[in-house]
Amino acid sequence: MELQTLTIVDARKMLDTGEVTAVELAEEYVAAAREMNTQLNAYLEIFEDVHEQAQKADEMIAAGNIFPMTGIPIAIKDNILIKGRVSSGASKILENYVATYDAYVIEKLKAEGAVFLGRTNMDEFAMGGSTENSAFGPTKNPHDIARIPGGSSGGSAAVVAAHMALASLGTDTGGSIRQPAALCGVVGFKPTYGAVSRFGTMAMGSSLDQIGPITKTVTDAELLFGTIRGHDSRDATSRPDAYFSESQQGKRIGVPRHFLKEGTDEDVLEAFNESLKKLEAHGYEIVDIELPNIQYALATYYIIMPAEVSTNLARYDGIRYGVHHDGETLLGDYMQTRGKGFGAEARRRILLGTFVLSSGYVDAYYRKATAVRNQLKKEFEKVFAGVDFIVTPTSPTPAFKIGEKVNDPVAMYAADIFTVPVNMTGVPALSVPMGTVVRDGSTLPIGIQFIAKHGADTALFAIGKDFEKMK
Amino acid sequence: MTDVDIAKLAQLARIAIDTEEQKELERDIPAILAFVEQIQAAGGEVTKETGDHYNIFREDGEPHAPGAYTDEMLASMPNEKDGYLRVRKIISQD
């Protein structure tokens, strides 16, 4: 079997016609995963019961009980709970934590008979853009193992790029699906805020987090999204299905040129301009747009996100579950557990969040950031009244070297510049490969980001599929 | 640069940090704050509101059968005895 070119669509046909069994397919992937993982560290665990899961899928197929994901081998980011399995968020504080229930997306995938291959490496609690913040060592980029795969869903992107899974799930708070997908040369989709229930997924920035697919093709992303989406009363921000428009959009694309120049590598910008020309040649209309406050999105994000992190991560105290370290008193227990359990970036963001919410500073930081965010939302709404899509590069640079930015948090944060505004405003966005650039002799993939208005997730798949066909 | 009392913040956040890390954070946190402070120049009017967030709450009721998760949850507790979570005594004499 050619795992290099296999898609969910192909696998579905082969499984349904009996050309391959789910067990055979799963075993090929497990073998590839085991072989590659020593080098890439993309999986934190490859599950032992993959064979049994695949057998169940084969029984479903034999009985004609077939869904889009029946027998499809996928990998799950380590912050999404699967009942009875370790789910650590790539953190020492949850190193041996066994999930007591299934996340909503896992319930959906189990009902369709998907096969879970393993849990993927990530930045601790999804905080980072390089997967270097994992408590269990960094993941390597399959295109150059001296480089980062992006993050925080770096493991989920690497396993798809290295053919160690047919598809995967990631989470995206400020670009954590799209940026690693771009840097690994695969497709990544961040749905509209509220499209996918976060029930059973470790919260990081609750007003920003979404779960989404990482796949080889846009069609595969659409299929996997189709399985995991849907209203769920256990996530209060989950939107009713009627909110999402299925109607096709127009072909008018807005480009915020004023925002793209600073910090974007020249060859990335060239590839982006080439992509725009292709879109134009295929009947899309390109117009310049102004988003006056978009330059402040990144700074705004690095106030709101840590504020939410500091409150969400307060639950990890070593009392009810997870790792426990003794102190002298109860407060000492908390301080020791959290001091030893959290990694450096988690500690940094919790302290930062604590500061921007503290008395005397909350107006200047958190409340001002919320005001800028509301302003950004208005600007996006205004732009979307005139265009169907906003397009940017997904990341201003290709994958950088492991260790290159670890000592400079602000430089590291700059990698999120084009992805963050999407989470700040809650709109959906899709990253699709747009070619390669060369760094130190390595050919590295880069991505283009398509953004649509709230609820227009389907329109992104249409333009993404069009773009994939343009040569 | 904004003056930040890292030791006090760590106490508020309930995170024990050593002196070496305290020194690093005394460099990093003000550097990040210097970067985010650019938002003071941005548009948008500051209010006490948190913004228009959308929530739908489910009806009150039993989300699951009582006791359905008890055994698994007890098993994940660091200090459990006879079906109870053991915590430290927090009342002292002084």
Side-chain angles (χ1 to χ4, degrees), chain A residues 83 100-101 207 233 236-240 293 295-296 298-300 302-303 318-322 324 326-331 333-336 338-339 347-348 350-352 354-356 361 363-365 367-375 377 409-410 413, chain B residues 2-6 9-17 21 24-25 27-29 31-33 35-58 68-69 72-73 76-79 85-90:
Chain A
K83 186 174 179 171
T100 53
Y101 63 100
S207 75
S233 63
T237 64
S238 169
R239 293 268 185 185
N293 279 291
Q295 60 182 330
Y296 301 112
L298 191 64
T300 308
Y302 276 94
I303 293 171
I319 302 294
R320 290 155 300 154
Y321 52 83
H324 175 92
D326 267 333
E328 303 264 311
T329 61
L330 180 65
L331 180 63
D333 286 1
Y334 296 149
M335 303 224 13
Q336 289 304 319
R338 290 161 61 76
R347 295 196 297 265
R348 185 154 52 209
I350 292 170
L351 258 61
L352 188 62
T354 305
F355 178 80
V356 299
Y361 297 101
D363 276 331
Y365 291 96
R367 290 202 179 109
K368 176 63 187 177
T370 302
V372 180
R373 182 184 194 174
N374 290 339
Q375 187 66 26
K377 281 185 191 165
V410 177
Y413 297 167
Chain B
T2 310
D3 197 28
V4 184
D5 186 344
I6 295 294
L9 268 189
Q11 191 76 25
L12 278 173
R14 296 179 164 176
I15 294 178
I17 52 169
E21 185 174 16
E24 281 170 25
L25 288 166
R27 181 196 67 204
D28 288 347
I29 300 277
I32 298 167
L33 290 173
F35 166 70
V36 300
E37 257 153 35
Q38 59 174 289
I39 68 156
Q40 302 310 332
E45 197 186 324
V46 178
T47 63
K48 300 279 179 201
E49 306 300 317
T50 51
D52 61 306
H53 290 296
Y54 165 94
N55 277 299
I56 294 182
F57 296 106
R58 62 175 169 74
Y69 297 95
E72 283 100 335
M73 290 175 74
S76 62
M77 288 173 186
N79 193 355
L85 170 67
R86 280 167 69 104
V87 292
R88 270 179 197 273
K89 192 169 79 173
I90 54 167

Side-chain angles (χ1 to χ4, degrees), chain A residues 53-76:
Chain A
Q53 292 182 59
Q55 270 178 333
K56 277 188 196 160
D58 277 330
E59 285 164 23
M60 285 175 74
I61 293 167
N65 197 12
I66 299 170
F67 302 94
M69 292 301 135
T70 313
I72 301 297
I74 62 173
I76 304 294

Side-chain angles (χ1 to χ4, degrees), chain A residues 156-179:
Chain A
S156 289
V159 295
V160 176
H163 318 293
M164 299 155 76
L166 193 42
S168 65
L169 287 187
T171 60
D172 191 315
T173 304
S176 283
I177 288 173
R178 292 158 286 154
Q179 183 254 20

Side-chain angles (χ1 to χ4, degrees), chain A residues 177-198:
Chain A
I177 288 173
R178 292 158 286 154
Q179 183 254 20
L183 302 193
C184 288
V186 292
V187 171
F189 176 57
K190 199 286 292 183
T192 297
Y193 184 75
V196 180
S197 165
R198 290 92 49 91

